[in-house]
Structures are given as structure tokens and as C-alpha cells.
Amino acid sequence: MIFYVLLPLILLLMVIFQTAILDHLFFGKVGIELALIFVIYAGLRIRFLPGGILSLIIGYFMDCLTGSISGLHAFTYVVLFFTSKFYFSRIKADRHMFMALFCFVSILFEGVVILLFYKMLSGADVSLNILVFTLPRAGVGAVLCPVLLKIFNMAEVYLGYGNTRPFERA
Amino acid sequence: MLFFKRYRTIITAFILVLIPVIIIFYSLKYPSASVVRNLVMEISGSVEFGITGLVDGVRNVWNRYIFLVELEDENRRLKEQNAQLLGELIKYREGYLEAKRLQNILELKRNTRYPVIGAQVINIAQASLFKTLMINRGKAHGLKVDMPVIASKGIVGRITEISWHTARVLLVIDVNSNIDALIQRTRTQGILQGSGFKGGTLKYVLKSADVSLGDVVISSGMGGLFPKEILLGTVKKIDKDRSGLFQYVEVSPSVDFNKLEEVLVLVGGDKK
């Protein structure tokens, strides 16, 4: 129980890590979608309700820290969590290629949703941003996804709430 | 109830998707930040402040390191430049001093009644038993053995050995050097014999002769080797208490052999 209480705080630190430290490390040139990959991990490992709530929380944190409209990332992450759950319930989840592919599509989806939302809201055509901004992030995320999922799994095991078994259907 | 149980998953998913949609609409309607959002921003602000401080610290250390590396490069470059400029300065200073010395020699050459040949000192052997020096002129330039060698401040010595392009000069301070000399003030005559590091002693000066400290000693012109009235040195010590007929007169040479660089060789005969 304490795990689920502490988890939001850990997630907040992770989002801060993503938005502050990683940006500093890579001089704002390359973004690593740590939070989104965690949502994918949640889809793999965490049960339906807690995973959905955690995705909602982490998405909300992202909204707070990126300055976007509240709920936008939360909505995207919840949708991606359920998609992830559905996807990995039908595909052998310990294949790195599938994970990387799913991660790539998820980051693109997130970018498209945000861009469409802003286009709807302000009428601005920011489709070029998908090419120059979202595509590289999706590429980097896809490459790092299997490694990060492994790290998340190790962290879960270290905290005593998981096991070292290959990813399996939750 | 059964409906909820059967479609629990779908209902949960629907609610979880609906919540952010409601939040979006709520945010659009009431743009001012909520308490939760403020709280999250507050926490992240504190953490980011710490992180930024840390990152800035690391960056400053790095920049400082880079600065120091650049400073080191610049320091090295400036040192090289300094050494180069110092070399040039030394060269110019040498040129200036050489010009001054040559000017003195030229002056001497003008004032000398005898034809002279200028020569450069290429080696000086004062530390050895024989006090000699080498000059860069020889037979090819018309020099001969026993020709007198002078400098701006007086007699240096005479040529004892000669080759085609070099000559060895026996200095007046060498024990083998004997020059007929006069005390300028009293015209007292004597033989100036070299005595190594002490300079020279004026021999055969009677005890009754008037000699004082600081008296100038010049060549007498007798003996046919050295011309008359060229400076040899000054009296620095007198001792009349010694046994015998003569007094002891020690003479300090006028020429500083340690600083000798250019000399003139008197090639004989009057200047036309």
C-alpha cells in the first residue's frame, strides 16, 4: 500500500528528472520520454485500476511541468496505458522489437494528439513540429525503451514490489 | 449491479479517460491554476532550483576548468612571446653595446698615430698559467709576431703566435710580459712585469723615486716594441720597506681583460 502512496512522489521526481535534468544534460536538443515509457511499463506490469490512476497522475504532473493545459497529457497517457495493456495482452511482451515499435508509435501519438489539440484550440498549423520535434523523440524513445523498461523492472524488484521474471501479461 | 460487474473494466477505463477530458474542459473554462497544479509546481520548483544550482555549479566548475586551460595556453603563448621578445631585446642591447665599443675603438683608431688593424677577441685564457687571448686576425691581414695590441683603455699585450687568420696575444699581466714604462707624473722609469691576477709590478724603481698611489703608468716607447705614452695602468700599492735598492710598486692594469671584445693591432710605422 505504501508503494502506491509513495509512487506518485517518485513519479513526480521522475517527471522533474525528465523535464529538468535530462533537458540540461542534452541541452534541450534531445528529449527522452521517460514518463511515457513508464506508462508503457505500467501497461505491462501494473493492474488495470492502479495503472490507469498512475498514468493519470503522471500525465497530470507532465501537464503541470510542461505548462500545457491541465488534462492534456493525462488524457494521452491514460489512453496509451489502456492501449499498452491491450497491445501487450496480445503480443509476446519480451520481444524488444515490439516494445520499441510500440514506444515509437506511442510518442508519435502523443505528439499528434497535442498538436491536433492546439490546432483545434488556436488554429495554428504546427504540423512541421512533428517532423522536427516529435520524430526524433520517438526515435530516441524507441531505442531506449527496452533498456528503460528493464531499469523500471529492476527498480520495482529493488523496492520489493516486483520480480525479475520477463514481462508478462499483468 | 451485474452490469457494473460485467463491464467493470470498460467502465473504469471510460471514467479514467473521462477525468482528464473533464479537467481539460475545466481548465479551458477556468484558466487560473488549480491548487494541485500550484502544489506540483511548487515542489518541482524547489527541486529544479536545487538541480539548476547543482548543474550551474558543475557548469561553472567546467567553465572554470576550460577557462584555466585557455589561461594556461595563453600563459604558455605569452611566455614564448616574452622569451622571443627578451631574445630580441638582448640582441638589440648587444648591438647597442657593440656599437658603443666600436665607437670607442674608432675613436682610438683616429687618435692613434700608427696604422692599426681592428680585431675581435675570440678567446681569452686568463684562468690558465699563461695569460693570453686569441684574436681573429692573422698573417693574412698583415699581422706579425711582437706587434702591440691595444684597446680603448690602454695596452693589452703583444702578439706571440700567429697563424693565417688568428693570432695569440700575450697580455700585459702575464709573467712573461715585460714592458718599459714610465710614471707619468714624475717620469720615473721602470719595467712593468706581469704578475697574473694581481696585475703587474713596476720593477727597478729606486726607493728614492717619487711614486704615489694612483699614479698613472704609461709606456716609455723604449725597447722599440710599444709606442710611447700609451696607458698601462695605475699604481695601487707601494712598499719601500723591503730590502734592496728598489721599492715594490704594484700596478693595476687599465684594461679590464674580462670585458675585452675588440682590440686594435698596431701594425708599425707612422700613419700617413
Side-chain angles (χ1 to χ4, degrees):
Chain A
M1 189 63 193
I2 295 171
F3 178 70
Y4 288 108
V5 175
L6 282 176
L7 204 53
L9 196 65
I10 296 168
L11 294 180
L12 177 60
L13 290 175
M14 190 179 74
V15 173
I16 292 170
F17 180 74
Q18 177 186 325
T19 54
I21 298 179
L22 290 181
D23 266 11
H24 273 295
L25 282 180
F26 298 104
F27 307 102
K29 302 282 182 199
V30 182
I32 297 173
E33 293 282 357
L34 214 58
L36 194 142
I37 293 169
F38 177 80
V39 169
I40 295 170
Y41 178 77
L44 267 166
R45 301 283 299 176
I46 303 173
R47 283 181 289 118
F48 202 81
L49 189 60
I53 292 169
L54 283 176
S55 302
L56 184 70
I57 291 170
I58 200 168
Y60 187 74
F61 287 158
M62 278 297 287
D63 287 327
C64 297
L65 295 183
T66 54
S68 65
I69 289 170
S70 294
L72 190 58
H73 277 95
F75 169 77
T76 317
Y77 283 12
V78 169
V79 171
L80 281 174
F81 169 74
F82 291 129
T83 315
S84 163
K85 207 120 194 84
F86 179 78
Y87 179 75
F88 289 117
S89 66
R90 274 152 184 79
I91 284 178
K92 201 168 166 55
D94 53 358
R95 291 268 176 89
H96 289 173
M97 182 59 90
F98 292 132
M99 291 177 186
L101 187 70
F102 185 77
C103 183
F104 184 82
V105 174
S106 299
I107 295 170
L108 276 186
F109 171 77
E110 182 199 20
V112 169
V113 167
I114 292 168
L115 294 177
L116 283 177
F117 181 82
Y118 278 104
K119 190 173 183 180
M120 226 163 55
L121 197 72
S122 61
D125 184 14
V126 283
S127 51
L128 192 67
N129 283 12
I130 292 183
L131 280 176
V132 295
F133 184 72
T134 312
L135 265 178
R137 284 173 91 93
V140 172
V143 170
L144 293 177
C145 179
V147 181
L148 288 171
L149 290 177
K150 189 80 187 161
I151 291 169
F152 286 139
N153 185 236
M154 284 162 69
E156 192 189 346
V157 171
Y158 179 75
L159 291 169
Y161 289 90
N163 55 47
T164 51
R165 287 173 299 164
F167 301 118
E168 58 183 24
R169 291 167 196 178
Chain B
M1 197 65 188
L2 193 68
F3 173 81
F4 282 109
K5 213 167 190 177
R6 181 181 284 178
Y7 297 105
R8 195 180 64 180
T9 310
I10 294 170
I11 291 167
T12 309
F14 179 74
I15 292 168
L16 283 172
V17 172
L18 192 66
I19 292 170
V21 174
I22 292 168
I23 294 172
I24 290 171
F25 281 105
Y26 185 81
S27 302
L28 287 173
K29 197 166 183 183
Y30 305 102
S32 59
S34 68
V35 179
V36 182
R37 195 170 171 124
N38 282 344
L39 194 68
V40 171
M41 283 170 69
E42 199 66 31
I43 294 168
S44 75
S46 306
V47 176
E48 281 189 36
F49 180 75
I51 290 167
T52 307
L54 192 73
V55 169
D56 283 350
V58 171
R59 190 180 290 159
N60 283 342
V61 168
W62 177 252
N63 286 344
R64 180 94 186 131
Y65 169 73
I66 294 291
F67 173 73
L68 284 175
V69 167
E70 282 175 2
L71 200 68
E72 195 183 344
D73 284 345
E74 193 180 359
N75 192 27
R76 194 180 301 126
R77 191 174 52 77
L78 287 173
K79 271 184 181 170
E80 281 170 12
Q81 199 178 5
N82 191 34
Q84 194 183 342
L85 289 173
L86 198 67
E88 277 182 32
L89 184 69
I90 288 168
K91 206 165 72 180
Y92 289 133
R93 196 177 286 161
E94 276 298 298
Y96 170 73
L97 292 172
E98 191 179 2
K100 274 191 89 174
R101 285 196 311 271
L102 291 174
Q103 195 178 11
N104 288 338
I105 291 285
L106 194 66
E107 198 70 24
L108 179 70
K109 199 171 173 180
R110 278 190 197 130
N111 297 335
T112 308
R113 286 176 290 147
Y114 310 99
V116 292
I117 291 174
Q120 215 169 358
V121 176
I122 52 176
N123 182 30
I124 186 155
Q126 280 204 84
S128 68
L129 195 60
F130 302 103
K131 311 294 179 198
T132 60
L133 61 80
M134 295 272 284
I135 56 172
N136 66 341
R137 294 284 184 268
K139 283 180 191 170
H141 305 97
L143 303 193
K144 290 174 187 166
V145 170
D146 284 338
M147 279 184 170
V149 179
I150 60 169
S152 58
K153 287 185 176 172
I155 292 177
V156 173
R158 63 183 169 90
I159 294 171
T160 51
E161 276 181 89
I162 194 158
S163 69
W164 280 105
H165 293 97
T166 55
R168 186 179 299 280
V169 178
L170 185 76
L171 302 182
V172 291
I173 56 170
D174 189 275
V175 288
N176 296 306
S177 168
N178 291 288
I179 302 170
D180 210 304
L182 285 174
I183 290 178
Q184 193 181 38
R185 182 174 62 85
T186 58
R187 315 309 286 179
T188 306
Q189 201 173 343
I191 301 290
L192 181 69
Q193 185 183 31
S195 54
F197 66 92
K198 281 198 274 184
T201 46
L202 194 61
K203 294 166 80 177
Y204 312 117
V205 178
L206 290 168
K207 280 186 175 170
S208 57
D210 178 15
V211 183
S212 303
L213 288 176
D215 273 349
V216 173
V217 181
I218 56 171
S219 58
S220 68
M222 282 188 237
L225 209 62
F226 291 97
K228 201 176 176 182
E229 291 173 349
I230 297 179
L231 187 62
L232 280 166
T234 50
V235 176
K236 71 170 178 182
K237 190 177 177 184
I238 304 163
D239 187 359
K240 292 184 178 178
D241 298 333
R242 295 190 179 190
S243 59
L245 291 171
F246 308 108
Q247 57 180 299
Y248 175 79
V249 180
E250 202 173 297
V251 177
S252 171
S254 55
V255 176
D256 184 355
F257 299 102
N258 289 318
K259 293 177 181 171
L260 207 56
E261 288 182 58
E262 288 91 16
V263 293
L264 290 178
V265 182
L266 306 181
V267 292
D270 282 341
K271 209 189 247 181
K272 286 173 185 173

